[in-house]
């Protein structure tokens, strides 16, 4: 048993340094993380610390958490198969239910087949490292999710990052990779919708550049499925460019109220991933309840198209309403809405003011976002009603007024040449 | 969209090479992977390809898949919380249920606290890479699970592997690390029970060496919880050495019929992992049904001690019965039983013979195990009845007879000096 008081131990030092940071926030009433929800009231209200708040931090963009059909499907799967499987998919953990889910995802995404994993993080991590290796080039948007970054690192390929959504820089990186070794594989990877900013990747240009430079294209649709496109099918539908993405990755824990991830694509690709990706071979199968919930959720999205429509209406109301109230929402066009605060301190204070009035939004501070771009982040869903959105915006505006946010933000932006 | 016929594309080459290998096995009727189960009949019978087989490849060591209390708990959680959460644990995805599960795990493992992750793979991967970094030394058993290997690679620490369960070599590695840099952190990691071999790490010696060389000790109890120890609490209980392991990692997808992983340990360690491990911060929370199932499963293990006892009895019957029939079961003492075949071909043939007679066991071949050590792998559980185990062993013995396994194995072992 280790001595946690031995401050010469590098691991103890790490543990202590992190504890000090958390303690400082806690002492100042600015620690908003890991707070347990004890009850759900309806679809968009939650009980946290005994108080009912309206949830403005959910990834359940279409309000499907707790949907009766989805709950019933999951409960029936437990009745039939129990709560776990007999192991990994490759060995004794595959159920016909998994295959049904995979066929449904493929149909939803317009591909030949799909493969599921028990974690979205593992999906990116192991798919990227299975497809590429030493000598290859991965060209990755600077704001891509951590799981993509880890997959790139694990692959052994050379990772070239391009400035966020900067197509000239993407082209420069592709040219650089091509010139370094024309015979190497080139893989462009980007989020479809960025999780901290809500903006959409410029898919038309990305797809054109991939053709021009003979590169594979992988998109992470974690925050775009159910959100983008007329029927919620994602970024290809949004741009009317069906079929341009080679490797369509998505998660089952956001719009789809379950857990896990998938890749949809060509039959050969999917077969390859079943045999070559470590996260499929060495990680437990998706449990029956979660596979059934995900399967039913894809059906509900198509059966209840009003949800996608309502999310779109709510998103417009929220973004334009915030802008009318003087907020800077950066480049968002989706359900993820950054409300720029500038400093970490202001982001924390805005969060506190919102939560005191029962609006559950959360801060995003450095190092998760660059210095000077700390923000309150709010997500809007199809479960919100217009008056709830109005209320939340009023609360935010009054908080900004009270804190002098706009004046302080102007000073921060003026003083920081990089912004 | 990529051209999958372009054989100059390195990714296409990878996809094709893997497809050829799988096709060859399929053509020869030797492909036993990814086969979906369509129904469970009772606790240990499954329907695969329309045939009822007795399951000898399950990780549900105590037979808890489908347990009525566990099913009911999961279904109730769906009723209360829905099938997913609002996001990652750090932000909007924490439920009081997660904390209750974590307290229960801590109590079960005799530690101050515990933290859960939505995947066991992610647990190892991100815990190891959060605790250690460049300049540190990780000393790892050569047969450790893939997720441990990936965590070591990701950490940036120097990984020193020691020969499987070879304590002299472990000591040599520890001395090597100490001499290289006395001030660096040293972390010894090993499986408690090895997933392909079923043998148990020599914890008394490992713990002594960790004390002697001032190293942290992490154990992966994926295959030891519910299996080792009088009450199924794992390897510390098995050796009567409570409290020697600093970082007690385990999974929720084997004996515990759910999905996910955990680390139990000191309060400070757990707090650190909540703030520093990427798999906690960037990966979705464990869904309500899975948290509730896991929670109830820990209670069932303690409430139904006959399961651990029956597993022990079944294990003895299986291992000694196989040995009496002339099989080499290597060093297993647990529910994971390797039945040595020598060549990949013999392992596949043994599998086919078993499955033709409705015994669902699976082959493990190179590169998963060293050349010459290919095997049939069978797991025994508390759900098996003595006559089912007798039948399975008879089927295996008759298959071995038919195939001339023992003679061929002797030749293989004789011709390979390394074995």
């Amino acid at each position: 048993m280790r001595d946690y008081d031995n401050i010469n131990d590098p691991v103890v030092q790490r543990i202590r340094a992190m504890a000090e940071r958390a303690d400082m926030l806690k002492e100042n009433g600015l620690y908003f993380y890991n707070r347990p929800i004890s009850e759900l009231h309806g679809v968009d209200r939650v009980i946290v610390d005994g108080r009912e708040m309206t949830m403005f931090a959910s990834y359940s963009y279409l309000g499907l958490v707790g949907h009766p059909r989805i709950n019933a499907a999951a409960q029936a799967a437990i009745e039939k198969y129990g709560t776990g499987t007999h192991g990994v998919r490759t060995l004794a953990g595959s159920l016909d239910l998994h295959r049904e889910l995979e066929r449904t995802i493929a149909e939803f995404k317009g591909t030949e087949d799909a493969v599921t994993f028990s974690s979205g993080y593992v999906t990116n991590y192991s798919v990227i490292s299975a497809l590429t290796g030493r000598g290859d080039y991965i060209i990755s948007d600077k704001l891509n999710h951590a799981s993509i970054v880890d997959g790139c690192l694990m692959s052994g390929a050379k990772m070239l990052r391009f400035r966020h959504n900067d197509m000239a820089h993407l082209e420069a990186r592709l040219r650089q990779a091509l010139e370094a070794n024309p015979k190497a594989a080139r893989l462009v990877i980007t989020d479809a919708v960025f999780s901290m900013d809500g903006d959409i990747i410029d898919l038309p240009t990305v797809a054109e550049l991939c053709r021009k430079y003979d590169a594979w294209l992988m998109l992470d649709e974690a925050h775009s499925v159910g959100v983008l496109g007329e029927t919620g099918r994602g970024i290809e539908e949004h741009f009317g460019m069906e079929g341009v993405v080679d490797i369509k990755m998505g998660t089952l824990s956001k719009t789809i109220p379950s857990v896990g991830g998938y890749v949809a694509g060509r039959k050969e690709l999917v077969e390859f991933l079943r045999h070559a990706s470590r996260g499929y071979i060495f990680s437990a199968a998706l449990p029956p309840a979660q596979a059934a919930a995900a399967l039913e959720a894809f059906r509900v999205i198509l059966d209840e198209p009003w949800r996608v429509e309502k999310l779109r209406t709510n998103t417009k109301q929220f973004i334009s309403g915030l802008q009318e109230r003087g907020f800077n929402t950066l480049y968002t066009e989706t359900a993820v809405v950054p409300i720029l605060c500038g400093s970490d301190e202001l982001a924390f204070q805005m969060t506190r003011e919102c939560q005191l009035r029962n609006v559950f939004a959360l801060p995003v501070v450095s190092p998760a976002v660059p210095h000077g771009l700390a923000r309150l982040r709010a997500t809007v869903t199809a479960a919100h009603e217009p008056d709830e959105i109005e209320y939340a915006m009023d609360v935010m505006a009054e908080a900004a007024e009270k804190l002098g946010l706009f004046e302080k933000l102007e000073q921060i932006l003026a003083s920081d040449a990089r912004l």
Side-chain angles (χ1 to χ4, degrees), chain A:
Chain A
M1 184 58 89
R2 299 299 296 173
D3 174 10
Y4 279 68
D5 292 325
N6 174 11
I7 56 164
N8 294 320
D9 183 322
V11 175
V12 169
Q13 287 166 7
R14 269 163 228 155
I15 290 173
R16 289 191 161 212
M18 187 61 87
E20 272 167 32
R21 269 193 274 172
D23 287 346
M24 202 163 63
L25 289 177
K26 283 174 190 173
E27 277 162 27
N28 291 305
L30 300 174
Y31 184 88
F32 301 104
Y33 307 112
N34 291 306
R35 287 159 74 208
I37 292 169
S38 57
E39 287 175 45
L40 305 185
H41 284 187
V43 191
D44 66 341
R45 309 249 171 159
V46 294
I47 303 292
V48 178
D49 297 335
R51 292 234 313 280
E52 187 183 89
M53 303 209 207
T54 308
M55 173 53 81
F56 276 92
S58 176
Y59 295 146
S60 185
Y61 297 119
L62 296 182
L64 296 180
V65 167
H67 191 289
R69 266 175 63 185
I70 298 170
N71 283 4
Q75 289 170 323
I78 291 171
E79 211 55 48
K80 183 167 181 192
Y81 299 106
T83 54
T85 66
H86 287 292
V88 299
R89 285 290 299 279
T90 309
L91 302 177
S94 280
L95 301 172
D96 52 355
L97 188 57
H98 291 121
R99 292 299 294 134
E100 199 183 348
L101 169 61
E102 287 163 348
R103 280 192 299 268
T104 302
I105 293 172
E107 206 175 304
F108 188 87
K109 297 300 298 173
T111 61
E112 290 178 356
D113 204 353
V115 53
T116 55
F117 297 79
S118 57
S119 146
Y121 194 98
V122 163
T123 308
N124 270 331
Y125 167 77
S126 59
V127 166
I128 295 167
S129 58
L131 283 168
T132 60
R134 206 168 295 275
D136 295 333
Y137 288 83
I138 300 175
I139 299 105
S140 170
D141 188 286
K142 271 204 176 166
L143 295 192
N144 277 346
H145 189 259
S147 53
I148 297 177
V149 176
D150 286 4
C152 295
L153 289 173
M154 200 62 192
S155 70
K158 181 137 180 88
M159 175 164 59
L160 302 174
R161 299 172 81 185
F162 61 96
R163 285 189 293 272
H164 175 51
N165 219 349
D166 179 334
M167 294 299 110
H169 200 215
L170 168 58
E171 178 155 23
R173 290 306 206 183
L174 278 164
R175 200 178 309 119
Q176 179 186 349
L178 186 72
E179 283 167 6
N181 181 3
K183 289 184 177 170
R186 287 169 292 284
L187 171 63
V188 173
I189 310 182
T190 165
D191 283 0
V193 166
F194 289 84
S195 62
M196 297 296 138
D197 293 74
D199 54 342
I200 304 170
I201 193 75
D202 177 2
L203 181 63
T205 310
V206 171
E208 188 194 320
L209 290 172
C210 284
R211 266 194 306 275
K212 183 170 169 188
Y213 290 91
D214 195 23
W216 289 74
L217 177 55
M218 172 167 174
L219 253 70
D220 177 340
E221 298 226 52
H223 299 274
S224 69
V225 164
V227 174
L228 294 185
E230 192 61 31
T231 63
R233 280 185 162 84
I235 193 162
E236 288 185 339
E237 187 181 30
H238 175 79
F239 283 110
M241 302 182 68
E242 279 77 8
V244 296
V245 179
D246 302 302
I247 304 152
K248 304 184 193 192
M249 182 272 172
T251 52
L252 303 173
S253 56
K254 297 181 177 70
T255 287
I256 305 299
S258 181
V259 77
Y262 67 82
V263 164
R266 283 274 294 263
K267 218 176 240 320
E268 297 93 325
L269 172 73
V270 167
E271 271 301 290
F272 173 75
L273 294 175
R274 283 193 206 284
H275 295 119
S277 57
R278 291 164 75 84
Y280 184 88
I281 302 169
F282 296 116
S283 184
L286 200 57
Q290 305 312 136
L295 175 59
E296 193 65 17
F298 281 104
R299 292 174 179 159
V300 168
I301 294 174
L302 299 180
D303 289 347
E304 301 180 358
W306 63 265
R307 291 180 179 272
V308 177
E309 184 51 39
K310 190 172 171 205
L311 175 60
R312 207 179 333 264
T313 310
N314 285 353
T315 300
K316 272 188 201 138
Q317 182 194 350
F318 195 46
I319 296 175
S320 62
L322 286 168
Q323 289 174 348
E324 281 160 20
R325 284 168 177 81
F327 288 105
N328 181 343
T329 56
L330 298 172
Y331 300 104
T332 185
E333 301 176 57
T334 70
V336 174
V337 182
I339 296 154
L340 194 63
C341 298
S343 70
D344 292 3
E345 193 190 353
L346 280 166
F348 286 132
Q349 288 170 336
M350 279 292 288
T351 305
R352 182 163 56 185
E353 293 296 325
C354 287
Q355 296 203 1
L356 282 173
R357 295 180 64 190
N358 303 324
V359 172
F360 192 86
L362 289 167
V364 184
V365 301
S366 60
V369 289
H371 182 77
L373 292 179
R375 65 199 62 174
L376 180 69
R377 189 180 63 147
T379 56
V380 65
T381 76
H384 291 127
E385 295 306 328
D387 61 324
E388 290 176 319
I389 297 171
E390 275 318 294
Y391 174 77
M393 294 191 295
D394 288 343
V395 164
M396 289 170 190
E398 285 160 33
E401 175 82 13
K402 178 177 164 185
L403 298 170
L405 175 74
F406 299 125
E407 301 73 28
K408 288 178 184 164
L409 180 57
E410 207 167 307
Q411 289 167 12
I412 292 167
L413 295 175
S415 72
D416 195 332
R418 284 172 305 173
L419 301 170

